[in-house]
Amino acid sequence: MSDLAAALDTVGARWALLVVERLLDGPQRYGDLQRDLGVPTNVLATRLRELEAAGVLTRLPLRHNTRAYALTDRGLALREAIVALARWGAEQT
Amino acid sequence: MSDLAAALDTVGARWALLVVERLLDGPQRYGDLQRDLGVPTNVLATRLRELEAAGVLTRLPLRHNTRAYALTDRGLALREAIVALARWGAEQT
DNA sequence: GGTCGACACTTGCAAAATGCAAGTGCGACG
DNA sequence: CGTCGCACTTGCATTTTGCAAGTGTCGACC
């Protein structure tokens, strides 16, 4: 499997990169991600589980039933790729 | 819609970026893409149609019922993003 | 002139992913 | 004790993806 295929295998699912992009601004809570992105709640829960399993993000317990999601170093390393893709998306010629 | 969401809207579908990556090496024929990538033929046909409609690639007629797919400038502009993603995928720490 | 093979798809259908709406558990607060 | 906010889960319809087989066309060969 090529390197690109490997990358897409972990962050190629729908909403995955958008979640990571949102977390580039710092840790966010579940409800914030849901409202900001408009992602269906069950899909968000699935993605967060997958991205955590892939070592892209971690859960930070805040209070009782409140936690925040934060990028790991591996997650932060996606910044370049996300910026490149976003710039391409902005060039609607 | 954010720039990233716009980008993913056109190249976020499964196999789309892998097709583009393959075309970075130069124009390829349908059968080549299919064999090299292992993508299901109906999905490949759909992606090529979508990517052509999005202005990412064009069809080059070669002989009778043979044509090649080549990236447009807009398609070539994806190189940076693809390289960044592939490098991230290669860093399996 | 008929047959065969290569090429680029299309079609039919099953499986998986996604989306929507409603429901669940649980601690805090009144 | 009841209600609220938060982080999910669950059930089900819709869409996407994948697999296998079939179609049309043209050139080469017999």
Side-chain angles (χ1 to χ4, degrees):
Chain A
M1 187 160 69
S2 78
D3 292 340
L4 179 59
L8 293 176
D9 217 51
T10 70
V11 293
R14 204 160 299 181
W15 298 106
L17 275 183
L18 291 168
V19 168
V20 175
E21 183 194 34
R22 197 70 198 74
L23 293 181
L24 285 175
D25 288 350
Q28 308 286 333
R29 288 174 307 160
Y30 187 95
D32 295 337
L33 291 170
Q34 189 178 318
R35 276 182 289 275
D36 293 350
L37 297 175
V39 48
T41 175
N42 55 346
V43 174
L44 179 56
T46 303
R47 287 299 165 272
L48 291 173
R49 242 183 282 126
E50 294 165 347
L51 291 173
E52 187 187 14
V56 171
L57 54 81
T58 49
R59 282 161 211 254
L60 305 178
L62 296 187
R63 280 173 304 286
H64 68 295
N65 55 350
T66 301
R67 37 194 153 287
Y69 293 90
L71 294 179
T72 60
D73 287 347
R74 177 143 184 77
L76 287 168
L78 276 165
R79 171 168 261 133
E80 284 188 8
I82 287 176
V83 168
L85 255 181
R87 270 199 305 181
W88 184 83
E91 293 166 10
Q92 294 292 22
T93 52
Chain B
M1 188 160 69
S2 78
D3 292 341
L4 179 59
L8 293 176
D9 217 51
T10 70
V11 295
R14 204 160 299 182
W15 298 105
L17 274 184
L18 290 168
V19 168
V20 174
E21 183 194 33
R22 196 71 198 72
L23 294 181
L24 285 174
D25 288 348
Q28 307 285 333
R29 289 175 307 162
Y30 187 95
D32 294 338
L33 291 170
Q34 190 179 318
R35 275 182 290 275
D36 293 351
L37 298 176
V39 47
T41 176
N42 55 345
V43 174
L44 178 57
T46 303
R47 287 298 166 272
L48 290 173
R49 240 183 283 124
E50 293 166 347
L51 292 173
E52 187 187 14
V56 171
L57 53 81
T58 51
R59 283 161 211 254
L60 305 179
L62 295 187
R63 282 174 303 285
H64 67 294
N65 55 348
T66 301
R67 37 195 153 289
Y69 293 90
L71 294 179
T72 60
D73 287 348
R74 177 142 184 77
L76 287 169
L78 276 166
R79 170 167 263 133
E80 283 187 9
I82 287 176
V83 168
L85 255 181
R87 269 200 304 182
W88 184 83
E91 292 164 11
Q92 293 294 23
T93 52

